[in-house]
Amino acid sequence: MGSRAHDFHQGVHLVMASIPTIETERLLLRPHTIDDFPAYQTLWSDEAVVRHISGIPSTREQTWARLMRAAGMWHHMGFGFLAIEEKSTGQMIGEAGFHEVRRDMSPSIEGTLEVGWLLSPESQGRGYAMEALQALIGWAGANFPGKPMTCIISPENLASLRLAGKLGFAEFARADYHGDVILLSRSGTPPA
C-alpha cells in the first residue's frame, strides 16, 4: 500500500507517493528504473506493440520522456504505471497501471483511474496481462476505493476488449480520439 506525505510550500500542494512493488505468482510489478530503458525502447518502438495504441512506434527521445513521466505520475497523482517483470527470467516484458491523461475527448474520462497495459509480443497470450491487471485493480481498490476505473480501447483490439470484459469493464461510449475508440468503465465504479 502506497504512503503519501503532503508538503505545503508557497501555496503549492505536493503529493509524494511511494511506488509499490506488487508480486504475483509469475510477475513482479515494480517501479521503472533507468536500467529498463533499453527494454522499454524495444517495446515502444515495436509496431506490433503500438498498433492499437498510437499506431506509430516511439522514437528513442519519446520513449525516454515516457519513462520519465512514469515516475511523475506517481509523484503527483499517487498512482501510475509499473514495469512488468517476468520472475522466471528477470526480463521486463511490459507495463501496466493507471494514469490521468486529460485527453481532449468527449465524453471525458478525467478524474478516473484510466487503466492501461502493454506486453511484448512474445509475452502475449500467456495470461500475464490478466495476472498483472487483477493485482493492480486490487491495489487500486484498496488505495482509491470508489474511484471510477475506465479504459479506452481501439475497436480492432479484440484481445484487449476480451480481457477488459473479463475484468468487469463494459462499454459506455464511443469516441473519436486519434481514431475510433471504445470507452469502458469497470462494473462497481461509475463512468466519469
Side-chain angles (χ1 to χ4, degrees):
M1 194 154 136
S3 64
R4 298 180 200 193
H6 298 278
D7 182 23
F8 291 86
H9 180 67
Q10 297 180 357
V12 177
H13 179 221
L14 300 174
V15 175
M16 300 289 287
S18 63
I19 304 174
T21 297
I22 303 168
E23 191 169 347
T24 69
E25 182 181 339
R26 301 178 295 162
L27 305 171
L28 190 62
L29 311 176
R30 57 164 179 77
H32 295 83
T33 69
I34 297 298
D35 293 337
D36 290 329
F37 183 60
Y40 205 58
Q41 172 61 33
T42 298
L43 278 171
W44 281 100
S45 65
D46 187 326
E47 288 183 16
V49 172
V50 301
R51 77 174 176 268
H52 294 303
I53 300 170
S54 66
I56 302 168
S58 293
T59 65
R60 185 172 187 270
E61 179 181 351
Q62 290 166 331
T63 304
W64 178 256
R66 185 183 305 274
L67 182 65
M68 295 299 101
R69 277 195 311 266
M73 185 68 63
W74 283 102
H75 173 78
H76 291 291
M77 303 301 291
F79 55 80
F81 274 63
L82 295 173
I84 301 173
E85 182 179 305
E86 186 178 44
K87 285 172 29 177
S88 66
T89 65
Q91 297 296 308
M92 180 191 162
I93 60 170
E95 68 175 344
F98 309 96
H99 53 190
E100 166 78 53
V101 182
R102 311 262 167 120
R103 299 178 190 279
D104 186 14
M105 178 176 71
S106 182
S108 174
I109 57 173
E110 285 186 25
T112 71
L113 291 169
E114 183 185 336
V115 183
W117 61 92
L118 69 88
L119 288 171
S120 64
E122 55 276 2
S123 301
Q124 295 173 11
R126 300 173 65 187
Y128 285 157
M130 173 68 87
E131 188 173 326
L133 291 169
Q134 285 175 325
L136 285 162
I137 288 169
W139 176 89
N143 288 275
F144 294 91
K147 189 165 180 78
M149 287 186 205
T150 59
C151 58
I152 65 171
I153 300 175
S154 166
E156 292 83 33
N157 192 345
L158 300 179
S160 286
L161 287 168
R162 278 191 302 275
L163 175 60
K166 290 177 184 177
L167 291 165
F169 288 87
E171 179 178 341
F172 72 90
R174 294 203 176 210
D176 179 11
Y177 182 72
H178 307 291
D180 293 332
V181 293
I182 300 172
L183 284 71
L184 301 103
S185 179
R186 189 161 185 273
S187 58
T189 65

